[in-house]
Amino acid sequence: YFSRGIATKISHVTTPIFYPNAKPHLGHLYSSLLCDVQHRWQLAKGNQSLFTTGTDEHGIKIQTASQKAGFSDPREFVNTLYPEFIKLNKNCDIEFTRFIRTTDQDHIENVKVLWKTCWDNGYIYKGEHKGWYSISDETFYPESKVIKDPNNPGKYINTETNNEVVHQSESNYFFKLSAFRERLIDYIEKHPQYIYPKSKKDQILNELKSSTGMQDLSISRPVSRLEWGIEVPNDPDQKIYVWFDALCNYMSSLGNIESIRNNIPVTSQHNLGGVNNVELKEPLELWKNTTHVIGKDIIKFHTIYWPSFLMAASLPINKQVIVHSHWLCNGVKMSKSLGNVLDPIQMVEYYGADSLRWFLLENSQLEEDGDFQEDKLFMIRDMFVSKWGNLINRCCGTKFNIKRAVDEFSSKADVESSILQLFEDEQDMKIQIENIFKNLKELPNLMDEKINKFEFAQLLRNIWSILSDANTLMQDAKPWTREGIKQDAIIFTCTETSRILSILCAPLIPRLSISFLNRIDVPKECQTYKYIKLGSDTKYGSKSNDKGREVPITKLQKRDT
Ligand code: ME8
């Protein structure tokens, strides 16, 4: 694939790497799902795509969680939790090509190289760090963001997260973040698509412009406070700050930094189409076509720190950062203390991966928080059964003959007009069929545009509407009261709608789409993007109308909660 140098588009999409300090939640799944759909869509179109996800395993947060859980070695602690993230991906059909752990040796080497390069270029220095530090946020806060804790006399909190802060002084290495303010502003202005959506780009630009100077960033911790981290090169008393380590994963997942910089082919630990360790012929091109999908909580790290680290190491900046909003649960922020953190694995076990995937895509927008409601999730399954499954089942009735209809129409030079002219005397039918064909024809471009912008809600409503139109046609045209070619034309229109939508929706609902296609006997080799044109598959439907075939999807009872 990658080593053959075929001239198709190449891209790489990444999720944040998640903290394995607890089991994964719905928010983690959402970031992964957005990437998965993008990745599958690129592959479906014949492009080359890599998809990285993983776990962020070092740092004080993990060290503390590990201690709390009674582990003496954080490595053992993360070893018990990272498989949960792999399990979530597997159960939800998230098809990453590499799962990176920041404890992977190739990544550790890369972090050290990144550090040394920034050091050699004069962007790291040693200094004294005094300030207000939040242990839970792992961040220092400026004086202006610290207030007395109204609920705990003698304690202080920061105004960003309301978490406790303590005054600390220690020896640290600093990154000269202040040197990058102008360059960042210039870069973001010249690359308006770098931070997407636009509101987030504006937010970061305003932040950069309004700050009179960015403070340098402390990027190490003394071993006395942080044992569980990567050692600072040439200083065994200090460990590298977790974000400097974590952000570097995006490069590590492609290969070693020097190969990427010099665009030298690398063997990369991705699994693509069953092949392990793909050779990336032009790793720099992939890097330049890398999109990070992140939640709004970590925008500063990805659009201020990360590009600054890259510039400091004379490395190019990746293509884009897509920022999504958060999921609430029945209107309330999910939190452990409220006990409303949703376990996506449990949801999938009950409703199936496709329903959950569709629900998350249909009910979210990048710029607005989504609200998880189990009732709505339940309804999706119902819609699949009543709109999509039912349409197929009706076409598969023993009164009809899909194979005969396919033979009749798919061989025609102009499939669309050969069907429409049959209904010259039934204008109402003609208009309905014409409308379905028009929407099917426009859908691939619309999907491409929307998937590239990670905008799903409206797109998914459009897909429902095409299915509704096909169901209405079935209802109004009553093919069971007709004979011969007109009956075949109605059945063909409905099976084509279902077939084309199933292929196009495979990146969204991979399992269901295959089961729909199998129900109408679409041969495996025709279940691909090459066959999305009306009448392009001449072979399906062979046994679809046989008696006693099973239905592709069945109704569920509502979950007992
Ligand atoms: O921040 N709704 O890891 P993390 C939607 N390790 N998405 C949500 C969400 C919610 N309610 N809550 C979290 C970290 N997310 C770092 C990242 S990257 C170099 C290091 C998603 O386990 C969202 O993408 O806290 C958010 O950015 C990510 O999970 C945070 O996961």
Side-chain angles (χ1 to χ4, degrees), residues 15-21 25-32 55-57 61 85 242-243 245-250 293-299 301-302 324-328 333-334 369-370:
T15 70
I17 45 169
F18 305 115
Y19 290 125
N21 58 348
H25 56 67
L26 194 74
H28 294 139
L29 172 61
Y30 182 58
S31 302
S32 308
T55 39
D56 185 358
E57 304 193 347
K61 208 176 218 156
F85 288 82
V242 67
W243 276 98
D245 165 353
L247 288 161
C248 186
N249 94 83
Y250 298 129
V293 173
I294 60 160
K296 62 182 180 180
D297 52 325
I298 51 175
I299 184 169
F301 301 98
H302 284 81
H324 66 72
S325 46
H326 277 180
W327 278 93
L328 310 173
K333 196 175 167 176
M334 283 183 247
D369 284 346

Side-chain angles (χ1 to χ4, degrees), residues 60 84 96 199 207 262 303 324 365 400 407 451 457 474 503:
I60 291 177
E84 294 289 328
F96 58 82
S199 60
E207 209 168 293
N262 299 309
T303 60
H324 66 72
Q365 283 172 20
F400 308 128
D407 286 346
I451 293 176
M474 180 67 113
I503 294 176

